[in-house]
Each structure stands twice: as C-alpha cells, then as structure tokens.
Amino acid sequence: MLTSQDDLLGHQTAAPFAVAGGGDPRFTERYWFSAHPIDGTPLIIDLGLGYYPNKGVMDGFAGVTVGARQHNFRASRRLGNNPLVPEVGPLRFEVLDGLKRHRMTLADNGSGISFDIEFEASFPAVQEKQSYRAKDGVVQEDLTRVAQMGRYSGWLVVEGQRHVIEPSLWWGQRDHSWGQRSEMRTDETRPPLAVNKNFFWTWTMFQFDDMAITVFLKERDAGKPFYLSGTEMVRSADGSIQRREMTGVTHDFEWADDPLGQTATVANFRFEFDHGPVREVRMECLPTRFYLKAGMYGGFEGWNHGDDRGDYDSAHDVWDLTDAATRRKARTLSDHVHRATCEGKVGSGVSEYGVAEGYSRYPVPQRFPAF
C-alpha cells in the first residue's frame, strides 16, 4: 500500500514504507520513556508506543505509579493512511531534535492521566549490541536497541493533582528499538503461557551528574553471560565525553521477602571495560515501580502488542499494588526506581530484572515467574 510517506526519502527496501523487515509480522518498532523524581518522591511515569507495519497496527500506553497505586492507559489503532504518525488517540510522540529532544503528550481522557512532557538528552545515545537469537534455523529475534539518559520538563496531572516537572529533579531514560522481536506470552487470559527456565537477566540504567552506565545482561550460569551489552560515558569538565564498552560484569543481588513477587532490594555490580579500571556501583531499590504488563508487555487481559483491535480501541484502570490478586496479574516485569552510588557519586535510574526457575545463584525469587 502506498501512502504519502512514500514521497519522502529514506526507503530501506524495495517496498513502500507500509512494509518492513521483509514482511515478517513480528517486525516491531518501539519507543519507551520513563521519568521519576530523584529526591525519593514515590512517583514514576512510564510510556511507550509500538509500530507494527506488517500487521497494520500502532499501539501505545502511558502510566503513572503514585505510592502503591498504578494508573494505566493503553490504546490501539489501525495504521490506515497515517502509518508513520506516532499518535494513538490522545497519546502523541514527537521527535523535536533527533537523539536530543522528544515531546510526549496525553490529552484529557477517561484515565485521569494527562501530561505534556519533554525529554532532553543528558548524554549521547548508545546502540546496544545486536540481540540475535535463532532456534532450529528459524530467527526468533533480530533487534536493534538505542538507549539514552535525559532530564524531563513539563507537567503531569494524576489523581486530580498537577505536578510541575523540572529537569533538576526529574531524571530518566528512554529507548528506541526496531526489528524482529520475540514475544513474551504471559497473559493468563490467552493461554498457552510462555515458560522460561534457568536464566537471570537485568537491563539497568545508572545516571549521575557527570557519568552514565547502561547494562543489559543475560546469563544461565553466574559469571557466564550469553548476552552482555554495556557502555559507560563520563563527561569531562570541558564537556567532552569519554566512552568505554563493557566486557564483563559480576553482580550480587539481595531480595526482599516479598510474598507477592520478585523484588530486589540491593545489588552490587562490578563492571569491567575494554580499557581502564573497573567500576563498582551499588544499587538500592526504592519502593516505586511501574509494572509493564499495563503497557501490554507479555499481554494483559486480551491486550497484546500488535494485536488488531479495530480502527481504535482504548482502556484504562487503576491497580492497587498491595493487592495480591493484582500483583499476580501484574507479575514481575517492572521498571524499578533505584538510587545508585559510585565512588562518592550519587545517582538514579531504573532496573528491570528477573530470575527464572533453575538459575542456581538466586533461588529465593524463583517461586514467582521471571516475567
């Protein structure tokens, strides 16, 4: 199908923009943003948008956790004649200055959440190592991801309260991924569920005034990663950035006695790089989390990434995160706000993590699913 976008430069294949990745229906392009105050205020904003050109669908979500209440909005539309307009109902994303500034807005809607916020990069974007996985000759995932730290400004309304977002207080991160993406089917209303065995993973972002570290680690045995991608960036007094690529990582996670799910309390990391000394970082997890099932990660009550729900559909709800039934549905995958310390520096960020049954290092959290 031809659209007005096809009059622009930038085609990557011998096909119109409406087709991507050789036509594979799993081809996905996704934005994700997260913002939180660094003073410990129990609040986090999470939002994202997914583009599925070979399914003819775009969907998005926005959510805010305030204390132990998570407010969620999600929406889906068919691409129609506007396949590259990053807008789903009242939720809109804008690239103001590539790799530097982005704007996200959510107009008034039934969820009670609305905002107009801007992300401004505090460090350069980094491209993670390609995430490629094949089984029996069939490609299961072939994904590019770019991650970046930043500061936020604007305003947010939730629970009838307006919050002014100042960049000195509101730090955060974003990513942008594209390619063939594997599915996590964990929606109990749409069996069969995916079963994961014998691995530990974490995707964690650390941001300090003059330093940023990203790490994505997957391993089946402690100290033997089958995927590791990480970058350190340090800003000098003259504004220049010194960059190192991660070559090794050891970790020591401590776990809460949480009867409702996997919850890390503290983690100590030791990072090795392609040059220079090692870096030791301590992460202290705060109470504030956003559970990503509300954004359709793994699927939630029939809402799954890329599903065709008609010309337009939306839903919203509020979760009590102290309720056992809610936490069982929310499961484990979350953006968990943390405070980081390194060589006298104090920083902030989010951590995603999970431990699947059979991973010998951390048996305690395995009574709950990894996703």
Side-chain angles (χ1 to χ4, degrees), residues 33-47 63-66 114-122 149-158 161-173 207 209 288 337 348-350:
F33 292 81
S34 182
H36 45 85
I38 60 172
D39 64 356
T41 299
L43 201 157
I44 181 175
I45 305 172
D46 249 61
L47 55 151
V64 182
T65 300
V66 184
S114 59
F115 52 75
D116 187 337
I117 59 177
E118 185 175 316
F119 170 96
E120 184 166 2
S122 51
M149 310 291 186
R151 312 292 167 85
Y152 285 83
S153 60
W155 57 266
L156 160 74
V157 172
V158 61
Q161 183 176 356
R162 184 182 178 93
H163 300 264
V164 176
I165 298 176
E166 299 282 357
S168 60
L169 179 63
W170 283 78
W171 293 15
Q173 42 280 313
Q207 182 174 187
D209 280 321
T288 306
V337 180
S348 184
V350 296

Side-chain angles (χ1 to χ4, degrees), residues 26-345:
R26 296 171 299 169
F27 188 94
T28 302
E29 187 157 8
R30 182 166 296 151
Y31 291 138
W32 167 87
F33 292 81
S34 182
H36 45 85
I38 60 172
D39 64 356
T41 299
L43 201 157
I44 181 175
I45 305 172
D46 249 61
L47 55 151
L49 179 136
Y51 165 62
Y52 316 88
N54 302 326
K55 293 183 177 182
V57 171
M58 181 176 289
D59 55 31
F61 76 93
V64 182
T65 300
V66 184
R69 288 169 61 81
Q70 181 171 315
H71 303 254
N72 309 309
F73 170 83
R74 49 194 167 270
S76 172
R77 72 169 176 92
R78 288 178 175 155
L79 294 178
N81 291 321
N82 299 300
L84 296 183
V85 177
E87 179 178 277
V88 187
L91 180 63
R92 183 176 178 85
F93 293 71
E94 298 177 66
V95 178
L96 301 179
D97 190 356
L99 300 181
K100 294 180 181 178
R101 293 173 55 234
H102 298 252
R103 183 187 181 201
M104 289 70 64
T105 57
L106 181 62
D108 288 340
N109 62 89
S111 72
I113 310 167
S114 59
F115 52 75
D116 187 337
I117 59 177
E118 185 175 316
F119 170 96
E120 184 166 2
S122 51
F123 289 89
V126 297
Q127 181 178 338
E128 296 176 358
K129 292 179 181 176
Q130 196 77 358
S131 183
Y132 180 87
R133 187 171 72 255
K135 183 177 181 180
D136 299 327
V138 177
V139 176
Q140 294 183 316
E141 183 165 273
D142 188 6
L143 190 70
T144 294
R145 180 184 284 107
V146 172
Q148 190 168 37
M149 310 291 186
R151 312 292 167 85
Y152 285 83
S153 60
W155 57 266
L156 160 74
V157 172
V158 61
E159 294 185 331
Q161 183 176 356
R162 184 182 178 93
H163 300 264
V164 176
I165 298 176
E166 299 282 357
S168 60
L169 179 63
W170 283 78
W171 293 15
Q173 42 280 313
R174 74 173 187 99
D175 75 21
H176 181 190
S177 60
W178 59 93
Q180 291 175 215
R181 192 179 187 111
S182 61
E183 292 183 309
M184 310 184 285
R185 304 298 291 197
T186 59
D187 181 3
E188 295 178 349
T189 69
R190 298 274 294 272
L193 275 63
V195 177
N196 301 285
K197 296 286 187 179
N198 187 34
F199 75 93
F200 165 78
W201 73 280
T202 184
W203 186 83
T204 301
M205 309 277 276
F206 302 95
Q207 182 174 187
F208 303 86
D209 280 321
D210 61 355
M211 182 173 70
I213 299 174
T214 68
V215 58
F216 193 179
L217 169 71
K218 305 175 191 178
E219 62 184 22
R220 301 195 185 281
D221 296 298
K224 298 178 180 179
F226 63 88
Y227 178 85
L228 173 61
S229 180
T231 301
E232 178 195 81
M233 290 174 287
V234 178
R235 182 185 296 108
S236 299
D238 63 3
S240 62
I241 300 291
Q242 283 72 50
R243 175 171 170 160
R244 300 192 294 170
E245 298 304 317
M246 196 174 294
T247 57
V249 56
T250 57
H251 51 85
D252 184 14
F253 273 69
E254 298 177 14
W255 303 91
D257 184 17
D258 184 350
L260 304 180
Q262 296 190 10
T263 299
T265 57
V266 172
N268 292 300
F269 292 89
R270 185 178 187 272
F271 298 123
E272 300 173 359
F273 298 93
D274 54 0
H275 64 277
V278 301
R279 187 81 71 184
E280 295 184 352
V281 182
R282 180 176 176 85
M283 178 178 83
E284 299 174 67
C285 294
L286 303 179
T288 306
R289 307 168 74 168
F290 183 86
Y291 286 87
L292 285 159
K293 262 195 167 295
M296 299 168 279
Y297 285 79
F300 179 73
E301 296 187 346
W303 281 81
N304 291 277
H305 284 151
D307 280 1
D308 186 346
R309 301 183 65 88
D311 288 338
Y312 177 73
D313 194 11
S314 67
H316 57 85
D317 42 46
V318 181
W319 294 356
D320 175 1
L321 298 180
T322 66
D323 177 70
T326 299
R327 281 286 300 278
R328 182 179 60 81
K329 289 190 294 185
R331 294 170 74 97
T332 295
L333 181 62
S334 71
D335 289 318
H336 198 164
V337 180
H338 67 77
R339 178 182 295 111
T341 53
C342 177
E343 300 172 4
K345 305 176 189 291

Side-chain angles (χ1 to χ4, degrees), residues 345-363:
K345 305 176 189 291
V346 178
S348 184
V350 296
S351 182
E352 300 176 4
Y353 51 78
V355 185
E357 181 182 354
Y359 180 79
S360 61
R361 179 76 184 279
Y362 301 129

